[in-house]
Structures are given as C-alpha cells and as structure tokens.
C-alpha cells in the first residue's frame, strides 16, 4: 500500500503515520518529494490492511493499492522517474548515458587505451568485466582484482565512473572498493543472496534481465534490492533466449517501453549481448534510443578480432565514434540528448 500525504503535510503527521505502519508490523519506505511525501507500506500481507486505517489520519490525502507483486519498483510508487547520480553522471534524466568499454579487462594498456577512446567519442561511463561469468569453465574468467585496479586507474585518468560485474555476495565488498556501479549479469538476475547483499549497500546497481527471464521476474529481482534499502537500481534489456538462431539473443525492444510504463527505474539497453553481432549493434542502439531507453551499454574493443571475450559483438573505437554521431541525431529526434 502507498500512503500519499497532503502537499506540505506537517512533519508530526508524517511521523504519526510512520509510527502506525510500524506498530502494525510493516516496514516503511519514505519518499520525500519536493512538496509531497509518499509512504510505502512494505510487508508480505500488506493487502490485509484497510485503507481507512490511514485515511482517517491527519495529513493523509489518500491511500493506493499497488496491484503488481513488485511494490517499490512499480510506477505507482513513484510517478517521477528515478534519476541515479553516479559521481555527477545522472542516469534516468533527459540525457541518454552511454556506458562503453570492453567485455573483459584484458590488460592495463588495453583498458586505458579503450577508456580514452570511448571518452573522446562521448561515452560517460566506462564498462569492463573483471569477474566474468563464462558459459565454459575453460574460457577466460577475468583478471579479478587486478582488473579492478586497472579500471580504477582508467577512472583516475579519464574521470569516467566505472561499472563492472559482481558475481557473488562474497565479492561485494571487494568489487565495491573499486567500482562506481555494480553490474549484475543475466546469469545472476535471480541470485537472491547477491541481490540481498547489494540491497544492503549504497552503490548503484545495474541489473540485467535474465537469459530467459520475463519482465516481471526482472522487476521482482529489482524489488529485492529496493526492499533492502538501496533505491539506486537500473534495469537492463540484454536480449532473451528464443527459438531464433540467426542472432545470439533476441533483443526485446518491447521491454523498453513496457519497463518505462511499469516502473520508475532507469532503463538501459544492451544491444551487444542483445544481438551478438557488431553489424547489428548500431541499428538496435538507435531503435533502443527511439524506444525510450535512458542509457546504452556498448562493448568497444581496440582490436575485436583479438578480444578474449565477445569480440564478435564489439565495436572498434572508430565504429563507436561514428555510431555516437548517429545516436545524437536519433536522441534529438525524440527530444533528448546524448
Ligand atoms: C557482459 O556484460 O559482458 C555480460 C556477461 O553480459 P550478460 O550478463 O548480459 O550475458
Ligand atoms: Mn560481454
């Protein structure tokens, strides 16, 4: 249930409502807007509470039932889009954010070179995997902490915030020492112990849709992080498994407007994993921007033919720069900027 307080409700009235929610044994989620405070009532059986319990209280304008199984992630909970501030880079606002970099950090020289190249072309966040979730145990698994150190150095040199994947709850502290945004990959979207651990800390979380996950499952996973107290969550469409074999995954363009409708969280598109082919990345990136994505995640490698992972879907820095120019026009056409 959501309790909408009157504009400029008195602090004592807000306190009284919060006290009543807690007295009934539910958790409170307080969202203070410019003029209005919204109080989320969180609990497994919150549907049992009667609306009148709160509607008779001073300062309460109305109460609302959230029909979806996800509460804090739902659009009912916040009409306004969530904007996540990462060292001054705002994700979810009018500017479309481009996160670019290699699939894996392969060496110090390689990540520094890529970081400078993507920054020059207009990227605002640097991506790079140090802990890699590979389908085969024999494939390159990432440089681990050494890779994180190289990413941190690239941030120092370029000023770009960094995003990197965390695969297990035990690694949250270590990865958190270096990264600005935690990435949860498609294989871990339903790793609930990882989601709970990320909910307990403050850094933003970038949550990918599961390999065969539904949009509802994605939002339920986001809910785990939000319910833990971390409201800085963005969700990402990265393609799903279908019967189609012409591409690595089927990029679900519908997911973008559907997520924007159902949720207030920023929506990211990942056309690299969504297609698996660099030749298609441009078309799907443009489609994603036109469809309303708040950010793009793109794989860029100085020499894709020698990449240790995902070379086939990686853009060269030259192709990336050209695409950025094209994306600026699409962004403009839909009233946004890159
Ligand atoms: C990645 O971003 O490199 C990655 C492993 O993506 P996904 O989790 O979407 O497969
Ligand atoms: Mn990859």
């Amino acid at each position: 249930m959501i309790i909408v307080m009157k504009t400029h409700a008195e602090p004592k009235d807000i306190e009284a409502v919060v006290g009543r929610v807690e007295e009934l044994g539910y958790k409170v989620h307080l969202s203070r807007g410019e003029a209005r405070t919204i109080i989320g009532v969180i609990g497994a059986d919150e549907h049992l509470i009667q609306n009148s319990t709160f509607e008779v209280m001073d300062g309460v304008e109305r109460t609302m039932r959230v029909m979806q199984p996800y509460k804090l992630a739902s659009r009912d909970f916040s009409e306004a889009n969530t904007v996540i501030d990462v060292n001054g880079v705002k994700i979810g606002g009018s500017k479309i954010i481009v996160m670019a970099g290699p699939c894996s950090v392969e060496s110090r020289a390689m990540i520094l070179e890529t970081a400078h190249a993507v920054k020059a072309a207009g990227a605002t966040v640097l991506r790079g995997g140090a802990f890699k979730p590979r389908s085969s145990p024999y494939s390159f698994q990432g440089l681990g902490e050494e890779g994180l150190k190289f990413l941190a150095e690239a941030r120092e040199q370029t000023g770009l915030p960094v995003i990197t994947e965390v695969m297990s709850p035990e690694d949250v502290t270590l990865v958190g020492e270096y990264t600005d945004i935690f990435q949860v990959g498609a294989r871990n979207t339903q790793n609930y112990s990882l989601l709970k651990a990320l909910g307990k800390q403050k850094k933003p979380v970038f949550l990918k849709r599961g390999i065969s996950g539904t949009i509802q499952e994605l939002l339920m996973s986001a809910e785990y992080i939000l319910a833990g107290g971390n409201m800085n969550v963005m969700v990402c469409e990265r393609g799903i498994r279908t019967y189609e074999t012409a591409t690595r995954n089927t990029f679900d363009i519908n997911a973008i407007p559907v997520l924007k409708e159902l949720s207030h969280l920023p929506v990211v598109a990942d056309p690299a994993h969504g297609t698996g082919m660099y030749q298609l990345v441009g078309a799907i990136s443009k489609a994603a921007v036109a469809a309303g994505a708040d950010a793009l995640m793109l794989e860029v490698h100085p020499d894709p033919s020698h990449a240790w992972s995902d070379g086939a879907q990686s853009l060269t820095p030259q192709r990336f720069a050209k695409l950025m120019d094209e994306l600026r026009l699409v962004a403009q056409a839909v009233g946004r900027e890159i």
Side-chain angles (χ1 to χ4, degrees), residues 102-104 127 132 208 248 273 299 309-310 313:
C103 179
S104 308
R127 71 146 280 154
K132 295 302 303 176
K208 291 215 193 182
R248 178 177 177 182
H273 296 87
E299 289 189 330
S309 59
D310 288 351
Q313 63 195 38

Side-chain angles (χ1 to χ4, degrees), residues 145-207:
E145 187 170 6
E146 194 186 18
L148 297 176
K149 288 187 174 154
F150 296 153
L151 276 172
E153 189 178 348
R155 169 180 51 215
E156 265 165 45
Q157 288 195 13
T158 58
L160 295 176
V162 302
I163 174 169
T164 198
E165 182 159 354
V166 61
M167 294 205 297
S168 74
E170 300 83 64
D171 291 338
V172 169
T173 307
L174 173 71
V175 176
E177 280 169 27
Y178 299 94
T179 198
D180 299 298
I181 308 172
F182 284 102
Q183 177 172 330
V184 176
R187 291 157 192 78
N188 274 313
T189 312
Q190 291 181 310
N191 178 343
Y192 298 118
S193 9
L194 176 62
L195 303 178
K196 282 183 189 168
L198 291 169
K200 285 199 207 117
Q201 58 80 54
K202 291 274 163 280
K203 286 197 171 172
V205 180
F206 173 112
L207 178 66

Side-chain angles (χ1 to χ4, degrees), residues 65-271:
R65 300 271 168 196
V66 182
M67 300 317 281
Q68 291 90 349
Y70 43 87
K71 310 287 175 197
L72 299 171
S74 109
R75 183 53 95 177
D76 291 338
F77 186 71
S78 168
E79 246 175 74
N81 290 330
T82 286
V83 179
I84 303 175
D85 191 324
V86 190
N87 309 347
V89 174
K90 294 194 169 59
I91 305 169
S94 66
K95 190 169 152 79
I96 295 166
I97 298 307
V98 178
M99 310 178 185
C103 179
S104 308
V105 177
E106 297 170 5
S107 70
R108 177 175 175 273
M110 171 268 196
I111 190 68
L112 293 179
E113 178 186 346
T114 315
H116 285 285
V118 298
K119 172 157 190 187
T124 26
V125 175
L126 176 66
R127 71 146 280 154
F131 291 92
K132 295 302 303 176
R134 305 306 300 282
S135 300
S136 162
Y138 308 117
S139 302
F140 174 56
Q141 303 285 309
L143 293 182
E145 187 170 6
E146 194 186 18
L148 297 176
K149 288 187 174 154
F150 296 153
L151 276 172
E153 189 178 348
R155 169 180 51 215
E156 265 165 45
Q157 288 195 13
T158 58
L160 295 176
V162 302
I163 174 169
T164 198
E165 182 159 354
V166 61
M167 294 205 297
S168 74
E170 300 83 64
D171 291 338
V172 169
T173 307
L174 173 71
V175 176
E177 280 169 27
Y178 299 94
T179 198
D180 299 298
I181 308 172
F182 284 102
Q183 177 172 330
V184 176
R187 291 157 192 78
N188 274 313
T189 312
Q190 291 181 310
N191 178 343
Y192 298 118
S193 9
L194 176 62
L195 303 178
K196 282 183 189 168
L198 291 169
K200 285 199 207 117
Q201 58 80 54
K202 291 274 163 280
K203 286 197 171 172
V205 180
F206 173 112
L207 178 66
K208 291 215 193 182
R209 181 175 179 178
I211 288 174
S212 300
T214 64
I215 291 172
Q216 176 156 318
E217 284 163 343
L218 172 61
L219 290 172
M220 290 308 294
S221 292
E223 190 77 12
Y224 264 88
I225 306 167
L226 303 171
N230 184 354
M231 290 305 280
N232 292 324
V233 178
M234 58 202 104
V235 287
C236 174
E237 165 59 33
R238 50 77 74 197
I240 45 175
R241 176 163 294 178
T242 67
Y243 53 79
E244 183 54 69
T245 55
T247 49
R248 178 177 177 182
N249 289 300
T250 297
F251 186 85
D252 180 11
I253 193 82
N254 297 357
I256 296 169
V258 169
L259 284 165
K260 293 300 300 179
E261 172 102 20
L262 295 178
S263 177
H264 53 89
L265 300 174
V267 175
V268 190
D270 171 0

